[in-house]
Amino acid sequence: MRGKRTYTPRQEEPYRVNSKIRAREVRVVGDFVEGGNAVMATDKAIALAQENGLDLVEISPSAAPPVCKVIDYAKFKYEQKKKQKEIKSNAAKTVVKEIRFGPNTDDHDFDFKLKHAINFLKDGAKVKAYVHFVGRTIVFKERGEMLLLKFAQALEDYGQVEQLPKMEGKRMNIFVSPKAGKK
């Protein structure tokens, strides 16, 4: 038996083109229309586009009448894809680094983890610090809260507290984000 083919549905076009435009009349904008824009019958607009070897693309379907443009659709799609890719690459990717404490964390361990947190914040990452309560240590909630508040106070120069200590199950969390301009 041969390998099974998986079904991949065809991706629907985001814009209506030429004969797929349903409106009776459309507002055509662009270089091929006198005065920049004109309202005309859809079939007349399609004929105008085909005379110039281009496509009629519905840009704004919600307008009354729908706005269409006479352009090369393949080139238009390429430009849109390029813009989306550029937007995606420019988007800031937030990194969240976690630091774990116990309710009985010693001063030396605290200082060691604090140095790591400072480096994370300098690199532009968010820090999620949490105290994990195991077994009977759940009775030391106050110690955990004091530890996290001390941690937040020590990081005051490098970041701002996004969320104060909050209990979630057996963990008490705090979020610290880097201060703007500290990269």
Side-chain angles (χ1 to χ4, degrees):
M1 200 164 117
R2 289 187 183 166
K4 290 186 181 180
R5 289 187 187 195
T6 56
Y7 171 72
T8 52
R10 254 181 52 203
Q11 191 176 3
E12 199 167 308
E13 296 291 336
Y15 299 97
R16 293 191 190 117
V17 186
N18 296 334
S19 61
K20 293 204 169 79
I21 299 172
R22 296 187 197 119
R24 276 193 219 149
E25 60 179 18
V26 292
R27 178 177 301 278
V28 181
V29 295
D31 305 332
F32 299 98
V33 184
E34 299 157 18
N37 74 37
V39 176
M40 60 177 72
T42 305
D43 49 347
K44 188 177 174 190
I46 292 170
L48 174 74
Q50 287 174 346
E51 280 174 24
N52 295 299
L54 299 169
D55 302 300
L56 184 70
V57 181
E58 191 176 48
I59 303 296
S60 178
S62 57
V67 179
C68 295
K69 200 169 187 179
V70 177
I71 48 176
D72 181 5
Y73 186 59
K75 187 176 179 183
F76 176 72
K77 266 184 18 180
Y78 172 75
E79 294 291 333
Q80 291 293 323
K81 207 177 268 186
K82 201 170 166 183
K83 278 183 191 173
Q84 291 299 322
K85 199 171 188 181
E86 193 175 310
I87 290 169
K88 201 174 186 180
S89 69
N90 290 342
K93 293 167 180 76
T94 54
V95 179
V96 178
K97 298 284 190 173
E98 290 190 358
I99 296 179
R100 176 184 171 159
F101 294 102
N104 301 322
T105 300
D106 191 38
D107 288 340
H108 176 270
D109 294 334
F110 177 82
D111 294 337
F112 185 78
K113 291 178 182 193
L114 182 66
K115 284 179 187 173
H116 279 291
I118 289 169
N119 289 333
F120 293 150
L121 290 170
K122 281 182 179 175
D123 291 341
K126 285 185 179 183
V127 175
K128 174 187 177 182
Y130 64 91
V131 177
H132 190 71
F133 298 99
V134 183
R136 291 190 176 173
T137 60
I138 197 82
V139 295
F140 299 120
K141 285 182 187 171
E142 303 83 38
R143 271 194 210 171
E145 189 171 1
M146 294 300 289
L147 186 77
L148 288 177
L149 289 172
K150 180 179 164 187
F151 184 73
Q153 191 174 13
L155 290 175
E156 228 172 46
D157 298 338
Y158 304 97
Q160 65 241 20
V161 176
E162 229 175 64
Q163 178 189 319
L164 288 170
K166 180 180 166 188
M167 196 70 186
E168 290 178 5
K170 292 185 177 185
R171 286 182 175 186
M172 188 176 285
N173 300 321
I174 190 169
F175 283 93
V176 182
S177 59
K179 281 191 175 173
K182 285 270 184 187
K183 274 197 172 181

